[in-house]
Amino acid sequence: MTVGIRLLQQLFLLVILLQLEPRVADSNNMIRCIDEEREALLTFKESLVDESGVLSSWGPEDEKRDRCKWAGVGCSNRTGHVIKLEIQPIDFGSFPLRGTISPALLQLHRLTYLDLSLNNFSGSPIPEFIGSLTKLSYLDLSFAEFEGPIPSHLGNLSALQHLDLSLNHLFSVGNLDWLSHLSSLTYLDLGSNNLSRSTDWLQVVGNLPLLTTLYLYRCHLPPIVPLSLSNLNYSTSLQFLELSENNLTNSIYP
Ligand SMILES: *[C@@H]1O[C@H](CO)[C@@H](O)[C@H](O)[C@H]1NC(C)=O
Ligand SMILES: *[C@@H]1O[C@H](CO)[C@@H](O)[C@H](O)[C@H]1NC(C)=O
Ligand SMILES: *[C@@H]1O[C@H](CO)[C@@H](O)[C@H](O)[C@H]1NC(C)=O
Ligand SMILES: *[C@@H]1O[C@H](CO)[C@@H](O)[C@H](O)[C@H]1NC(C)=O
Ligand SMILES: *[C@@H]1O[C@H](CO)[C@@H](O)[C@H](O)[C@H]1NC(C)=O
Ligand SMILES: *[C@@H]1O[C@H](CO)[C@@H](O)[C@H](O)[C@H]1NC(C)=O
């Protein structure tokens, strides 16, 4: 009898342990993940020059342990992972962040929102690895003193809905093939960069199916040639269009 009860008790314990096991593993994973995200953010901070203390809430100290409370960091309420990074000067006129963007960002596997606009990356190019942050739906790198070619790697960001690279010193090296892969785009601003080499610009933006807002002002756009109109599926969702300060005087507007 007692042996039977003891056996039952042991069985009962075993069942409980078996149920607990996956949760212990899950929470271990979660802790590892949190540490990884914290380290990644601190490495990201190290490659920046922060004269006005925008990132002063970020640190390895015990009282700063919760990375979700750091300025500009957003965590998912559901999963607890870092999903958002929005880092700007404290106010207009304060020193912008300078420096470079660390590839440590790639450790933030759940990042969907990245806004580094209004900082000063001092004429460095947009890093190609940004194209590997494939969960991104929002990317704003505008007015941040980027210079150089627009990396075609951005074409890997197939979930992107909002892309703003405006007001930098960027140029396109050739056609905009990469852009045609971003079929979820609703907002696109490439204004005040140099797209003079992209003769296919109209076909590409005209075939983005969900686009509602398009800014291509001051882009040195090459003229629209009648030939380029033949294989064009006009995006019917478009609501805002800005093409000012281009030399399209001899162009035929579709
Ligand atoms: C999480 O929830 C808070 C309060 O309900 C809300 O203010 C915040 O925007 C949410 N964060 C995200 C990333 O959705
Ligand atoms: C950005 O920083 C560089 C030096 O790194 C400086 O020459 C330039 O004026 C700065 N640009 C702005 C807009 O502050
Ligand atoms: C991203 O795009 C580049 C250039 O378009 C390509 O060479 C590379 O293989 C792509 N990487 C991934 C992970 O898809
Ligand atoms: C635009 O970029 C091309 C190189 O891609 C260059 O030859 C041209 O001079 C640039 N135009 C302007 C106005 O900067
Ligand atoms: C235009 O749309 C039609 C039907 O939706 C499609 O079959 C065709 O491939 C599209 N053409 C281009 C150039 O995207
Ligand atoms: C605009 O382009 C036309 C040729 O298409 C050229 O004759 C004219 O000089 C250009 N205007 C400016 C301001 O660059």
Side-chain angles (χ1 to χ4, degrees), residues 101 116-117 126 130 139-144 146 164-166 168:
I101 303 176
L116 300 175
S117 61
I126 291 179
I130 297 283
L139 177 62
D140 188 345
L141 300 176
S142 65
F143 206 18
F146 284 110
D164 191 345
L165 303 178
S166 65
N168 285 299

Side-chain angles (χ1 to χ4, degrees), residues 146-165:
F146 284 110
E147 206 171 311
I150 302 174
S152 59
H153 300 71
L154 298 182
N156 293 327
L157 300 176
S158 54
L160 215 54
Q161 295 170 11
H162 182 112
L163 176 61
D164 191 345
L165 303 178

Side-chain angles (χ1 to χ4, degrees), residues 87-98:
I87 295 165
Q88 261 103 46
I90 293 169
D91 52 45
F92 194 75
S94 70
F95 283 114
L97 283 170
R98 291 185 293 114

